[in-house]
């Protein structure tokens, strides 16, 4: 059987995962996180780093990218609720973002499930809310 040769990229094509002003490359690549993120809603930020949170649950952290740069993400399920924890590389705010599946009926209950599994309480929250309703920031003090 003859070997089929695949030609290399055209010289004017941009890399597939980058912005393509002229859309000269016929492929536009998304990271696994960019694709999966559409199934999740951002609901909170946690003060502890992603490494400590993922170590607690023995999660594997995967690296992807989004419009703002590289992102480290762990996606998992607890009590039939889908979660993701993410951290954007070089972010001004170093919080770990908490994402919950858009199909979750009660986001507050889901957040409680996560915090309980992580062995932390709401004092670990840096902010809480949604993109649609806005976010409430917490200073970390109790009371």
């Amino acid at each position: 059987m003859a070997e089929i040769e695949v030609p290399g990229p055209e010289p004017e094509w941009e890399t597939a995962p980058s912005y393509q002003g002229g859309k000269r490359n016929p492929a536009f690549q998304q990271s696994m996180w960019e694709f999966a993120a559409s199934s999740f809603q951002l609901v909170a930020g946690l003060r502890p780093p992603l490494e400590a949170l993922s170590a607690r649950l023995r999660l594997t952290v995967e690296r992807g990218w989004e419009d703002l740069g590289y992102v480290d993400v762990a996606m998992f399920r607890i009590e039939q609720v889908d979660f993701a924890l993410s951290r954007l590389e070089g972010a001004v705010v170093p919080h770990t973002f908490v994402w919950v599946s858009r199909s979750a009926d009660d986001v507050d209950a889901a957040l409680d499930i996560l915090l309980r599994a992580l062995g932390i309480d709401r004092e670990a929250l840096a902010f809480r809310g949604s993109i649609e309703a806005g976010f409430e920031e917490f200073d970390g003090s109790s009371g």
Side-chain angles (χ1 to χ4, degrees):
M1 180 171 250
E3 186 176 322
I4 298 174
E5 257 188 68
V6 177
E10 301 298 323
E12 69 275 7
W13 284 0
E14 298 92 344
T15 59
S18 64
Y19 174 74
Q20 301 172 23
K23 292 283 187 189
R24 291 179 288 258
N25 185 338
F28 179 74
Q29 184 177 6
Q30 288 186 294
S31 76
M32 289 182 288
W33 170 241
E34 279 182 306
F35 185 78
S38 64
S39 300
F40 290 94
Q41 56 186 320
L42 178 61
V43 298
L46 291 172
R47 294 183 200 303
L50 177 60
E51 295 81 8
L53 299 168
S54 60
R56 161 75 176 169
L57 299 175
R58 297 182 180 244
L59 299 171
T60 298
V61 175
E62 300 174 276
R63 177 154 268 217
W65 67 86
E66 58 183 39
D67 291 343
L68 300 174
Y70 287 105
V71 63
D72 294 323
V73 180
M75 291 180 279
F76 54 98
R77 179 177 289 168
I78 301 173
E79 296 183 26
Q80 300 191 1
V81 178
D82 293 314
F83 294 96
L85 299 174
S86 73
R87 180 194 61 223
L88 188 62
E89 182 179 271
V92 176
V93 180
H95 304 310
T96 300
F97 293 155
V98 176
W99 304 78
V100 175
S101 172
R102 291 190 181 281
S103 64
D105 293 328
D106 186 342
V107 172
D108 282 324
L111 190 55
D112 286 338
I113 289 169
L114 176 64
L115 294 174
R116 195 168 40 253
L118 289 169
I120 57 179
D121 59 26
R122 288 189 177 254
E123 287 183 6
L125 290 173
F127 64 87
R128 169 76 182 90
S130 69
I131 291 173
E132 295 81 15
F135 294 99
E136 177 186 2
E137 291 189 42
F138 304 110
D139 65 6
S141 62
S142 56

